[in-house]
Amino acid sequence: MNRRRIMLMNGQEENEVKEWVELLNESKEVTDQKTVEFDIANAEKHEEYWIYLQIEKHTGTEPCKGNCKPIINGAWIGYYSLNVDFSADQYVSYHIWTNPISVLEIAKSMSKPQFNLVQILRQIETIGNETGTGKFTLEFPANYTGKITAKILGR
């Protein structure tokens, strides 16, 4: 539900509806890069993010396995939240709340989540502070070669 109730100082209630804003919807082919950056639509801080990543199988000669660090607008996301072997397709969904406490829900799968059930994991207080970089960054454990599709919404 998109409505949140906020109690005003005088005791009245107000329904606040924040609309989702598309910050990124892009695919990128990369060759032997350890750090991959995307420009997001704005560097504003948001109270909620929805991130969907499709990272296709690594096709480079050297293995790419371990912790990939996702960073949005300067804030790191989760503690070892993307610690995988990139020799297979990876589908990842992050739902992030930054206020009143930071909460991260993660769903990961090696098969398309549109056709398979995935388990949702939750981490509390595992989101860094946004610094307003205007970037979404993936820091891979080794050089990655393949295609990355990133979709990000914020509100």
Side-chain angles (χ1 to χ4, degrees):
M1 188 168 171
N2 289 340
R3 295 186 179 177
R4 296 180 184 201
R5 298 173 93 176
I6 297 175
M7 187 64 82
L8 300 176
M9 291 184 71
N10 62 2
Q12 295 176 341
E13 293 183 9
E14 178 181 300
N15 287 326
E16 178 185 295
V17 179
K18 289 188 177 181
E19 296 296 322
W20 287 103
V21 176
E22 184 175 81
L23 301 174
L24 177 66
N25 187 358
E26 183 180 341
S27 292
K28 188 180 278 195
E29 293 272 350
V30 297
T31 303
D32 286 331
Q33 291 185 21
K34 191 168 181 176
T35 301
V36 179
E37 279 190 346
F38 294 88
D39 291 321
I40 55 178
N42 62 54
E44 296 175 18
K45 294 181 180 183
H46 296 276
E47 291 184 359
E48 192 172 358
Y49 290 98
W50 200 285
I51 302 170
Y52 175 74
L53 296 174
Q54 180 179 342
I55 303 172
E56 293 185 7
K57 177 182 176 178
H58 169 61
T59 57
T61 55
E62 298 295 319
C64 187
K65 180 179 180 179
N67 186 39
C68 178
K69 299 174 192 166
I71 300 167
I72 187 163
N73 209 19
W76 50 270
I77 303 169
Y79 180 75
Y80 279 80
S81 64
L82 192 49
N83 189 18
V84 297
D85 184 352
F86 293 97
S87 65
D89 291 347
Q90 299 294 328
Y91 301 88
V92 184
S93 173
Y94 291 104
H95 192 177
I96 301 166
W97 292 269
T98 60
N99 196 12
I101 63 168
S102 65
V103 176
L104 170 63
E105 287 186 345
I106 310 160
K108 294 187 284 191
S109 177
M110 289 177 21
S111 53
K112 291 188 175 184
Q114 293 90 334
F115 309 111
N116 298 283
L117 295 175
V118 292
Q119 184 178 19
I120 295 176
L121 306 172
R122 182 175 281 172
Q123 292 181 342
I124 308 295
E125 297 290 339
T126 57
I127 310 296
N129 293 323
E130 292 182 67
T131 59
T133 62
K135 305 274 185 198
F136 175 69
T137 307
L138 294 170
E139 294 179 0
F140 286 90
N143 286 349
Y144 169 81
T145 299
K147 182 178 177 183
I148 301 169
T149 301
K151 296 177 184 179
I152 302 177
L153 302 173
R155 67 175 173 185

